Amino acid sequence: IIEDCAQKAEFPVQMVKKFGELGVFGATIPMQYGGGGLDYISYGLMCQEIERGDSGMRSTISVQSSLVMWPILEYGSEVQRLKYLPKLAAGELLGCFGLTEPNHGSDPGSMESTLKKVDGGYLLNGSKSWISNAPLADIAVVWARTEAGRVQGVIVERAMPGFTTPEIKNKWSLRTSITGELVFDQVFIPDSQVLPHAVGLKAPLACLDKARYGIAWGALGAAMDCYEVALDYAKERVQFDKPIAAFQLTQKKLAEMLTEITKGQLLAWRLGTLMNSEKATTAQISMAKRNNVAIALNVAREARQIVGAMGISGTFPIMRHLMNLESVLTYEGTHDIHLLILGAEITGIPAFK
Ligand code: FAD
């Protein structure tokens, strides 16, 4: 269904329930909360295989698993865990994660959304932009600043008065994923919806670490699909009386594509073993996300060349992957921001400002 959905820019909403049945939502969440109770290599492989299909579908899984379920598990109360996690795991609820704002993307620490204390809860005001799943999400994990100046996480439910989620249309990338804004106009957030342990910017950044790890695997899936399509095509397409696979220049492309995918998998696998033992650092995760998305884009471009004019057609998935990967390069920390995270780790000198 995915080529058709991408051409029509449609989110295949029926997949949410199917992903729940498959067990890909919350793969690493303990089984007592409806999760898969699996390790990080298993989660990574799921991301790889789903993104082999489409980055938009992997985005849905990353958001639900790492950016909605994980913070509720890590920062939520037991009541919140039991209320939301089993339904999110089953695909009965869809979640989204609101950190980016219209004026603050790479610099979320300067966020303008506010939480003002009132009797029995908080009033939430502000807006979030470029939020995956937003227009259809039942709940949103949202980050805003309290009067004390601390970043605080809250769970917003769709039915809360003053909460709207307009869709962002006209995307050339991630066309199978639905994206929107989160707009808060005096939304009353009862105390029971505040994530009690999610205080400070470190809390949302730790969620991003988990999602970025999944992206490091996922992008390789898109690259693998492009590589395989190009290889099949090269063996069949005849020019100058030979299959184009017989030319050294084509073989160089294929050999280098396979080498880069294999190196990326080894990086992701080693990172997964560190994730399993809770030793992976933010900088290591940045290295893997940055490297693997960049190599996936290069593989997709080389694959597109091998398939020639047909490579731009919707008959093949390459151009869809290429356009998708442009978003993947930017979201969850841009290519350059991950370089700065690595630069700061290597030199001890942050170069963000
Ligand atoms: P900016 O921060 O404006 O950056 C623009 C350019 O400037 C980039 O190249 C960047 O690298 C560069 N730049 C910025 N600062 C520096 C610096 N200090 N030094 C050098 N260069 C710099 N966000 C969410 O919260 N939830 C979501 O679910 C979500 N889903 C998304 C889905 C899609 C399809 C897309 C495209 C984005 C999504 N995002 C989401 C937002 C995403 O995380 C941001 O786009 C990303 O963080 C970059 O922010 P920005 O687009 O505002 O770019």
Side-chain angles (χ1 to χ4, degrees):
I1 62 168
I2 208 69
E3 297 298 350
D4 196 40
C5 290
Q7 289 284 355
K8 292 180 181 156
E10 262 176 26
F11 175 65
V13 69
Q14 72 275 24
M15 291 307 293
V16 175
K17 198 86 203 28
K18 286 197 178 172
F19 285 144
E21 286 161 14
L22 268 174
V24 292
F25 287 147
T28 62
I29 301 288
M31 289 166 92
Q32 74 203 80
Y33 300 113
L38 296 169
D39 72 340
Y40 276 92
I41 304 286
S42 310
Y43 173 48
L45 288 170
M46 286 177 178
C47 289
Q48 177 184 277
E49 293 309 313
I50 303 267
E51 192 150 355
R52 203 162 171 161
D54 188 74
S55 307
M57 293 294 92
R58 198 271 308 137
S59 301
T60 304
I61 287 156
S62 292
V63 170
Q64 183 95 334
S65 301
S66 296
L67 301 180
V68 179
M69 295 179 73
W70 189 81
I72 293 174
L73 175 77
E74 192 69 12
Y75 308 127
S77 66
E78 191 61 11
V79 174
Q80 291 167 342
R81 291 172 175 175
L82 293 171
K83 180 176 177 191
Y84 294 114
L85 292 178
K87 287 187 177 157
L88 288 162
E92 285 164 23
L93 289 179
L94 183 66
C96 69
F97 174 88
L99 181 65
T100 304
E101 297 188 350
N103 294 328
H104 306 284
S106 300
D107 181 21
S110 306
M111 68 175 69
E112 294 166 40
S113 296
T114 55
L115 282 163
K116 186 169 184 278
K117 190 74 190 109
V118 290
D119 247 10
Y122 290 85
L123 281 182
L124 174 59
N125 279 290
S127 66
K128 300 286 172 180
S129 195
W130 290 105
I131 308 304
S132 304
N133 299 349
L136 293 174
D138 301 288
I139 63 167
V141 170
V142 175
W143 304 90
R145 206 174 278 290
T146 62
E147 288 156 288
R150 299 297 303 271
V151 171
Q152 171 71 60
V154 296
I155 307 170
V156 183
E157 292 192 352
R158 170 158 296 281
M160 289 179 172
F163 176 40
T164 48
T165 58
E167 185 176 350
I168 297 174
K169 295 200 182 232
N170 286 328
K171 289 183 296 161
W172 284 120
S173 176
L174 293 188
R175 286 164 69 81
T176 65
S177 166
I178 190 159
T179 317
E181 293 172 56
L182 305 175
V183 182
F184 313 104
D185 180 10
Q186 299 281 82
V187 180
F188 175 68
I189 310 289
D191 285 328
S192 59
Q193 294 302 107
V194 173
L195 289 168
H197 310 296
V199 182
L201 191 61
K202 273 191 175 165
L205 296 184
C207 304
L208 294 176
D209 272 355
K210 306 285 179 224
R212 289 166 179 171
Y213 165 74
I215 293 172
W217 278 103
L220 296 174
M224 286 158 74
D225 195 35
C226 293
Y227 164 80
E228 283 171 356
V229 166
L231 175 60
D232 287 349
Y233 186 86
K235 287 200 258 186
E236 278 170 20
R237 175 73 174 166
V238 174
Q239 290 292 290
F240 302 98
D241 303 323
K242 280 186 190 167
I244 58 169
F247 298 119
Q248 287 182 350
L249 287 177
T250 309
Q251 291 189 4
K252 177 175 188 287
K253 285 189 177 69
L254 290 166
E256 288 178 353
M257 286 155 79
L258 186 60
T259 306
E260 289 307 316
I261 291 168
T262 306
K263 282 156 64 182
Q265 281 177 322
L266 282 168
L267 179 59
W269 170 79
R270 175 65 185 133
L271 186 61
T273 64
L274 293 171
M275 297 282 291
N276 282 341
S277 52
E278 296 184 13
K279 285 189 190 145
T281 66
T282 294
Q284 288 167 339
I285 293 168
S286 285
M287 180 191 279
K289 190 267 184 186
R290 181 175 188 273
N291 180 76
N292 289 5
V293 178
I295 69 110
L297 257 173
N298 285 339
V299 166
R301 285 185 189 127
E302 294 288 84
R304 215 289 303 148
Q305 280 203 67
I306 290 175
V307 184
M310 286 304 287
I312 71 155
S313 141
T315 311
F316 292 98
I318 298 174
M319 203 69 191
R320 176 171 53 79
H321 285 307
L322 246 177
M323 292 194 294
N324 283 343
L325 288 166
E326 287 293 339
S327 282
V328 182
L329 193 77
T330 285
Y331 73 16
E332 301 274 352
T334 69
H335 190 63
D336 286 346
I337 290 295
H338 287 299
L339 180 134
L340 295 180
I341 292 172
L342 281 166
E345 174 81 6
I346 293 164
T347 63
I349 310 167
F352 298 96
K353 289 192 179 177

